Amino acid sequence: MIEREIVTGRHSILVREAGDSEGTPIVYFHGTPGSRLDVSFGEEIATALGVRVVSFDRPGYGGSGPGPYSLISIAHEVDALADSLGIGRFAAFGWSGGGPFALAAAAVLGERVVRAGVAGGNAPFQQVPGALESFTDNDRLALSFLPDEPARAAEQFVIGNEEMLQTMMSVRDDEQAPWIDWLWGETDPGVVSDPVLRGNLFSVLHEGLRQGPMGVAWDNVAWCGPWGIEVEDIRCPVHLWYGELDQMAPPVNGEWLRHHLPDASLVVYPGEGHLVPLRHWEEIVGTLTR
């Protein structure tokens, strides 16, 4: 495993490389909240499969410098990261809030992305029928500032979700992380009760949130508002994985994406929730690099 700081021109980005350094590359986009450590649990699997996993903290998360961003700007950041690391073509994979970023990379970077994958990620809220009905009044107020005032929208997301964000921030100080049960206990009880996997979740979130909640706010700006891309323009194969019981990103998101992507396949795991990669990492990595 190697970690290094790469300056892309707009931000200083902390990058983690794991698995087989000479292997087939996957660029991983972490969740919301999350960090470059999201899939550190699977590094031995990646090595065994001959896969090089490149993950990075988005601005304001973990060890990356803070600053505004969008789906499209992160795609360009990844383009620069790949150049710096000597990577040509690669697979893009995003879990949860990272899903839209992986799709944006596939749309923006064209043939450089050979395959894309999403596990438990949202489809465009603006386009999925009924999706905006789940938004609070504050979220709608934040969205009203887009696309012209993204910084104001980010600030409003923080103001209106202060209680939830403060609860999330408590993970930095409490290794038992009670809100992990609150978020995932109902649909992923087997995962959050496993001491090894629970410890991994704590490490991921402790690192991701160490600078504060602004990364979460900019994620919300990036994929709650207009995406700035059309998923219909993505030409590489896209693989979709969802848990049947996922309440954070229900499988209807995967169904919408499968219907609108030109080349997509969807797997829905019966009885599972949002933490699909923790149980199916080998399958996901193998599919994206075959």
Side-chain angles (χ1 to χ4, degrees):
M1 182 276 296
I2 299 173
E3 291 194 346
R4 68 185 80 184
E5 184 179 315
I6 295 177
V7 178
T8 63
R10 294 190 61 185
H11 297 103
S12 173
I13 302 294
L14 186 56
V15 179
R16 179 186 180 93
E17 294 184 79
D20 183 349
S21 62
E22 301 297 322
T24 305
I26 294 177
V27 175
Y28 172 75
F29 299 79
H30 66 72
T32 305
S35 69
R36 68 192 183 283
L37 305 179
D38 271 17
V39 292
S40 58
F41 67 87
E43 291 174 358
E44 291 184 4
I45 292 173
T47 301
L49 293 178
V51 175
R52 178 185 182 185
V53 179
V54 176
S55 57
F56 66 98
D57 294 328
R58 286 191 291 280
Y61 281 104
S64 291
Y69 57 86
S70 65
L71 295 186
I72 292 175
S73 74
I74 293 297
H76 289 301
E77 301 266 17
V78 166
D79 201 27
L81 291 178
D83 287 344
S84 297
L85 297 172
I87 295 172
R89 304 177 76 196
F90 57 87
F93 174 63
W95 179 9
S96 189
F101 291 98
L103 293 174
V108 172
L109 303 184
E111 293 184 357
R112 188 163 201 179
V113 177
V114 295
R115 290 180 184 273
V118 174
N122 285 305
F125 284 101
Q126 314 291 321
Q127 300 180 51
V128 177
L132 291 175
E133 294 175 5
S134 64
F135 280 33
T136 65
D137 289 342
N138 174 77
D139 292 338
R140 293 188 180 92
L141 175 59
L143 290 178
S144 72
F145 299 129
L146 298 176
D148 296 331
E149 299 180 275
R152 192 174 178 188
E155 181 182 3
Q156 190 62 46
F157 274 123
V158 172
I159 292 171
N161 293 285
E162 181 178 7
E163 182 177 354
M164 181 186 69
L165 290 169
Q166 288 303 316
T167 303
M168 285 185 176
M169 296 294 289
S170 71
V171 76
R172 298 178 306 171
D173 305 310
D174 182 0
E175 193 164 356
Q176 294 305 307
W179 72 279
I180 288 178
D181 299 280
W182 172 64
L183 272 178
W184 298 307
E186 184 173 343
T187 59
D188 294 283
V191 175
V192 299
S193 64
D194 183 302
V196 174
L197 297 180
R198 187 186 184 90
N200 175 263
L201 288 170
F202 170 75
S203 298
V204 164
L205 299 170
H206 182 277
E207 173 64 10
L209 292 168
R210 64 181 165 103
Q211 293 188 57
M214 285 309 298
V216 176
W218 279 105
D219 275 0
N220 285 339
V221 169
W223 44 256
C224 289
W227 281 20
I229 64 163
E230 300 295 336
V231 299
E232 290 83 356
D233 294 336
I234 298 173
R235 295 302 163 190
C236 69
V238 180
H239 302 275
L240 308 165
W241 295 276
Y242 287 77
E244 176 193 21
L245 304 179
D246 190 344
Q247 297 176 0
M248 301 184 72
V252 65
N253 290 278
E255 294 285 359
W256 189 95
L257 288 169
R258 180 175 62 174
H259 179 72
H260 288 82
L261 287 160
D263 183 358
S265 61
L266 172 64
V267 175
V268 177
Y269 296 103
E272 296 195 31
H274 192 62
L275 304 178
V276 160
L278 290 172
R279 293 189 181 277
H280 302 282
W281 183 237
E282 184 170 359
E283 175 188 346
I284 289 169
V285 169
T287 298
L288 291 172
T289 57
R290 65 188 179 198

